[in-house]
Amino acid sequence: MKMKTLAMTAALAALACSAAQAQTAASSFQGFSLGLNAGMISSTTEITSGTDVVDGLGHTSAVGSLQGAYSWAAGDRGVLSVGATYNLNDVDGGELRTTAGVRTALYKARDAYSVYFEPGYLLTDKTLAFATLGYEAATARAEDGAGVVVKQDIQGAGYGFGLRTMLDKNLYVQVAVKQVYYDSERFAGDTADFKTRATLGSVGVGYKF
């Protein structure tokens, strides 16, 4: 009887220890964090206006961004986060050319940012797999050959996924991929709408407070 009681006690202790470790693993991602990301973004802008078309397919830019987030442990292995990102540089959006190949305007996206929700699940005690769904916004900028610039705010939605690994209790590294779809907009004075989408791949480092 005593042996059976000891065995049951040991088993319960092992289960309690395992649950505590899992909770501790999820809790290690909990809190406020700041990160710096670097990556490549490929943008496509679609527009047709008379004899002009946008050559936007596959325009690629290097991009850096700041990221801030707050995360909560959700059960033993889940992590929920809300956050925001801000691009540190302009992104190429395509070139407006005539059918004869003459460039008439150059498109860029400036001051791009996102606000997102991020559910995640621990693959190991140190590595989190996550998905993101967010609101995306930027300022589209078009400059013609004479240096005349027009601007238009654009907004849309983005989704993606990635992996984040804690190197110690504060430092982390991550890799992520995101697809962004902006709504159709029109520059003031134009007669045609334009629509931009982008694919972003990035790596980052961060600090959890």
Side-chain angles (χ1 to χ4, degrees), residues 42-50 52-59 92-97 107-108 140 154 179-187 190-198:
S42 178
S43 304
T44 298
T45 301
E46 300 173 354
I47 184 173
T48 301
S49 178
D52 294 340
V53 294
V54 161
D55 174 24
L57 183 62
H59 275 249
D92 289 339
E95 298 177 349
L96 186 64
R97 296 178 179 270
Y107 287 82
K108 289 183 179 291
I154 57 176
Q179 185 75 45
V180 178
Y181 294 91
Y182 291 107
D183 298 335
S184 295
E185 294 290 352
R186 182 178 298 186
F187 289 110
D190 279 2
T191 58
D193 293 342
F194 67 92
K195 194 173 187 178
T196 301
R197 65 181 185 272

Side-chain angles (χ1 to χ4, degrees), residues 125-175:
D125 287 353
K126 296 293 185 179
T127 299
L128 179 76
F130 61 85
T132 59
L133 177 64
Y135 168 81
E136 305 280 340
T139 298
R141 183 180 185 274
E143 181 176 356
D144 65 18
V148 177
V149 175
V150 292
K151 300 177 181 179
Q152 175 62 47
D153 291 337
I154 57 176
Q155 58 186 355
Y159 66 89
F161 58 90
L163 294 173
R164 183 176 302 122
T165 297
M166 298 300 298
L167 300 179
D168 57 29
K169 68 177 184 178
N170 298 112
L171 294 175
Y172 71 82
V173 294
Q174 71 175 25
V175 294

Side-chain angles (χ1 to χ4, degrees), residues 67 69-71 77-83 114-123 127-136 158-164 174-179:
Q67 179 177 2
Y70 191 88
S71 303
R77 310 295 289 180
V79 179
L80 300 178
S81 304
V82 292
S114 70
V115 179
Y116 63 85
F117 170 66
E118 180 190 285
Y121 186 81
L122 287 175
L123 300 180
T127 299
L128 179 76
F130 61 85
T132 59
L133 177 64
Y135 168 81
E136 305 280 340
Y159 66 89
F161 58 90
L163 294 173
R164 183 176 302 122
Q174 71 175 25
V175 294
V177 176
K178 182 169 69 171
Q179 185 75 45

Side-chain angles (χ1 to χ4, degrees), residues 15-31:
L15 287 173
C17 181
S18 177
Q21 288 175 345
Q23 181 62 40
T24 300
S27 298
S28 68
F29 287 85
Q30 184 168 288

